[in-house]
Amino acid sequence: MVSRSESRASVAASERSTIRTVAMAVGVVFLLVGILGFIPGITTDYGDMRFAGHDSGAHLLGVFQVSILHNIVHLLFGIAGIAMARRVDTARLFLIGGGAIYLVLFLYGLVIGHGSDANFVPVNTADNWLHLVLGLGMIALGLIFAPRARPVAGGLGR
């Protein structure tokens, strides 16, 4: 028979494992997106890719404007997610903090002119909407899968 404290410990361990797994999965997706951005065919108009700037004509999956810098950012974000998935606190930080970064990128994409020099990453309308979804999704994952605080044994409410 499993005691209540053993059951709670099992649930807590499962929650810790889940947020780490989610952060790892998100990191792997970013890493894959960064790699795919350098593969001709998956990235259309590959020959028109520039290091940075709004004049990069390459599009990941024919939709999302990319540059070498944009792909490198995805690779670095993926590596960060994989590294931060090792611990519960850093996995949560990656999901919530990374989501906040993507919400800032969404706002940035709305404010700048897509043809301006300020669009150095570069981003287009499809990128803007993707950044919104990523930001909200990552924050939601970080909040949903964060381990819950447990009442201390022997505390109030017994």
Side-chain angles (χ1 to χ4, degrees), residues 97-111 131 135:
I101 289 169
Y102 271 93
L103 290 179
V104 169
L105 282 172
F106 166 70
L107 294 174
Y108 174 77
L110 292 178
V111 171
H131 291 158

Side-chain angles (χ1 to χ4, degrees), residues 126-137:
D127 288 305
N128 290 342
W129 287 108
L130 180 61
H131 291 158
L132 175 64
V133 170
L134 284 172
L136 295 174

Side-chain angles (χ1 to χ4, degrees), residues 9-156:
S10 175
V11 169
S14 174
E15 286 178 352
R16 287 191 300 271
S17 176
T18 301
I19 195 164
R20 292 177 58 230
T21 301
V22 168
M24 175 69 73
V26 172
V28 166
V29 168
F30 276 108
L31 191 61
L32 289 173
V33 167
I35 292 168
L36 293 174
F38 288 114
I39 299 176
I42 294 173
T43 297
T44 59
D45 301 317
Y46 187 81
D48 295 332
M49 186 182 302
R50 303 290 177 261
F51 178 77
H54 64 86
D55 57 345
S56 184
H59 290 83
L60 181 63
L61 304 174
V63 177
F64 305 102
Q65 189 176 14
V66 293
S67 65
I68 294 169
L69 176 62
H70 201 148
N71 291 333
I72 290 171
V73 168
H74 287 142
L75 291 170
L76 293 174
F77 215 79
I79 291 167
I82 292 167
M84 293 175 81
R86 292 184 197 165
R87 292 188 2 219
V88 172
D89 59 334
T90 55
R92 186 171 185 266
L93 176 64
F94 170 70
L95 292 169
I96 295 174
I101 289 169
Y102 271 93
L103 290 179
V104 169
L105 282 172
F106 166 70
L107 294 174
Y108 174 77
L110 292 178
V111 171
I112 62 162
H114 288 173
S116 75
D117 288 339
N119 191 11
F120 66 94
V121 175
V123 294
N124 62 11
T125 301
D127 288 305
N128 290 342
W129 287 108
L130 180 61
H131 291 158
L132 175 64
V133 170
L134 284 172
L136 295 174
M138 289 176 71
I139 290 170
L141 290 171
L143 295 173
I144 290 167
F145 292 108
R148 305 289 178 249
R150 302 274 181 243
V152 177
L156 296 175

